[in-house]
Structure formats: structure tokens, C-alpha cells
Amino acid sequence: MAVTAQKIAEIAGVSRGTVDRALHNRGRVNPEVAARIRQIAAELGYKPNLVGQALVRSKQGAKLGVILQSTETPTMQIVREGVRRAADELRDSGGEVLVRELKGLDDEKLLECIEELVSQGIQGLALSPNNTPELRQCINELYGQNIPVVTLNSDVPGSRRLCFVGQDSYCAGQTAACLMCELLPPGSKVLPLTGHLNNSGHNSRLNGFLDTVQQLEGQLVILPFQPCFDRDDCAYEVTQYTLQLHPDLAGIYVAANGQAGACQAIEESGRKGRVKIIAYDLNEPNMRLLQSGSLSFVIDQEAFEQGYRPPYLLYEYLMHKKQPERELLYTDIAIRTKYNSDLSTVLSSYENPSHLPEATTSD
């Protein structure tokens, strides 16, 4: 009986997809695991099914669409790299991924992109959404057309999307609240900054923070939250104005983007290090702000995985009828300080994620 990739997977204790990537040098496999897989294959005399592989490449594979918003932000650029990696790997299995990138959050442009991709014949769609009634209706209509949708980074609760890949934003906000309460003495004033009010992730981070601080009654004094629309210049102005009104400001919670502007205003006021700032996402700018002492903590959400996983989930669903293991596929809530904020090291740790279902491809 011929040795199969599935048999190798069972002996190695990995998924069928991991064997496929290791034997065909498609990356994203721990080098030690890949070496063990190749050794098992050699010992068993495994020979790849070249005819089957040729058929896979020649037949019509899944055609997927991906729409990313706010691609001007450092975090979404990491998400984009995850999408590109998945697109490159799926191409070997007959998959095609059409990517569209938008700056900011724009309901009209997002809906236009969806319409354009559907006209291009996509069979599945992954997108970083706005949480609006119009988009919810659009996702439900795509469901009716048998076009599954995976949301990433931010969600559209109540829609008929296949699943969501991203951080538990409410829990992340709770985590930030606990950190801020540990940093500051009772009665300290804290300014919350959020991004876009129509982004469910931003809102959940803010609500998780506010609800948790309220439960710890008397611990902190929370000033009215201010939106800065992911803009550093806006966050800079808001922080400057707040310092004028509240010179005893002790902390800033940045629920989206804008932390660089807030840090600049604090540094210019001569209070760098004394005003504690908690922000999100380990990217190059935030790594520098952490290591310089401008940021106290960064809460990371594994942005690369949020781009990498959705195309695979759609491909598996369309080609193999494989449902996601869960509706909500949460990435990690990782607390980063100046001592564990090397971005290259963190990204390399995503090579073998264990918290999300393993992607598989066909021989």
C-alpha cells in the first residue's frame, strides 16, 4: 500500500497541511518539525502523487476576495503581510486571492469593493469591516448567494458571516483597565482615546476598559472619552487640550491608533514617563515608543495571523466543506513591555500557532 501524507501526519502528530508545507518547502513550519516530517517520509519511502498534484494545479480552484481597510496604519500593514503570505501559499494549490486595500474606514468604498469583487467571480470573501447596518445586510445577502464571509480584525456581530478571526476586544479592554489600575494610585485621572465609532473592535476595547474601571469604583477618575479617528495629529491636539484642562493627568488609554501623537504631546509637556500610556499592537513605531519609555504597555493581538488565517479558512470551507472549529477564533491578548517587544522575534513565533485551527491543503 502506498504511503500517504495523511499517514505521515499521524506518525508525526501534526496536521495533513503541515506535512504538505514541509515536504514542498512552502514555509510556516517550525524547522525541527519540518526535519522530522521529512525524515519520516524518507524512512517510509514516501513518493508524492505527482499526477494528483498536477490535477490540483490544473483544475479550477477557489477564487477568494480580501478587503483590508485602514491600510495606512502600521498594524494593518502587518495584517496585509499575513494575507500576502496566505495568497502565495494557496496559489500552489489552485487558489486565487484578489486583495483590495482602502485607507481609513469608508462605508461607501467598502461596499463598492465588495460589489466589484463579486462581479469578478469570487467564491468567498474576507474583510476588515465597519459595523454598520448596510454592511450587515450585505454580508447576509452574500450568504444567500452562497458566498461565505470571514471577518478579521473587527467583527460584524449579528451578521451571517462564517466566522471572525481577531482579538477578543472587550477582554483586551478589561486587561488594559487592570494594567492601568496597577500603574496608578487611586483617584488618578485617565483620558481614554478611541478610533472610529463605527468600528466594533474599537468600541469593544473602550467599553471593556470603562466597564472594568467602573467595577473598581473609586480606583480611577475617567475623563470623557475622545475619538481621534486613528490620527496622530488629532490625538496630539486632544492630549494637549486635556493637559491644559487637567494638568494632573496621570494616564492615557489609546483604544485604537493615535498613540504617537499622544506620546509627543506628553513629551513636549515634560511629563514623559510620568503620564502612563497604554496602547495596542506591537508594530515598528510602537516598539520604538515602548523601548524609549513613552509607552508603558502595548497589548498585542497577533495581526499577522488575522491576515493569514481567513483565506485558509475560506479555502477549506469551499474546497473541502470544512467548517471553522468555532464562530469566534480569538487571537492572543499579549502584554508587551520594553523587555519583550522585539517585533522580529514575535513574528517568528507565529510560525506554528496553536490557538487557531491548522490549515490544510490537498496533494
Side-chain angles (χ1 to χ4, degrees), residues 268-324:
E268 290 179 0
S269 73
R271 304 193 60 192
K272 176 180 175 179
R274 288 186 289 156
V275 176
K276 306 302 181 182
I277 303 177
I278 296 176
Y280 283 88
D281 302 331
L282 186 59
N283 48 51
E284 288 286 352
N286 281 354
M287 183 178 70
R288 292 192 293 269
L289 290 172
L290 270 173
Q291 294 176 350
S292 71
S294 294
L295 290 177
S296 300
F297 291 104
V298 159
I299 300 176
D300 192 34
Q301 59 174 324
E302 296 187 326
F304 185 93
E305 291 301 322
Q306 295 178 19
Y308 179 78
R309 285 301 179 189
Y312 267 101
L313 291 164
L314 288 168
Y315 184 88
E316 289 293 314
Y317 179 79
L318 291 167
M319 302 300 290
H320 307 297
K321 308 301 180 184
K322 181 180 178 181
Q323 290 276 354

Side-chain angles (χ1 to χ4, degrees), residues 30-52:
N30 182 286
E32 294 180 0
V33 175
R36 187 170 77 252
I37 290 171
R38 286 191 285 268
Q39 180 181 355
I40 293 171
E43 291 174 352
L44 296 178
Y46 172 74
K47 295 181 179 179
N49 184 352
L50 299 178
V51 174

Side-chain angles (χ1 to χ4, degrees), residues 86-151:
D88 288 343
E89 294 177 7
L90 286 172
R91 190 177 300 115
D92 292 333
S93 300
E96 181 182 4
V97 182
L98 306 179
V99 182
R100 301 293 182 266
E101 300 179 12
L102 300 174
K103 290 185 177 181
L105 297 181
D106 190 309
D107 293 349
E108 185 174 346
K109 289 183 179 179
L110 178 59
L111 293 171
E112 287 176 357
C113 269
I114 294 174
E115 183 177 353
E116 183 259 326
L117 286 172
V118 170
S119 71
Q120 294 287 323
I122 62 167
Q123 299 161 271
L125 175 67
L127 77 161
S128 56
N130 312 332
N131 186 17
T132 63
E134 292 79 12
L135 183 59
R136 186 174 297 106
Q137 179 181 349
C138 180
I139 292 174
N140 293 343
E141 290 174 355
L142 291 175
Y143 174 86
Q145 299 172 39
N146 294 317
I147 300 176
V149 175
V150 172
T151 55

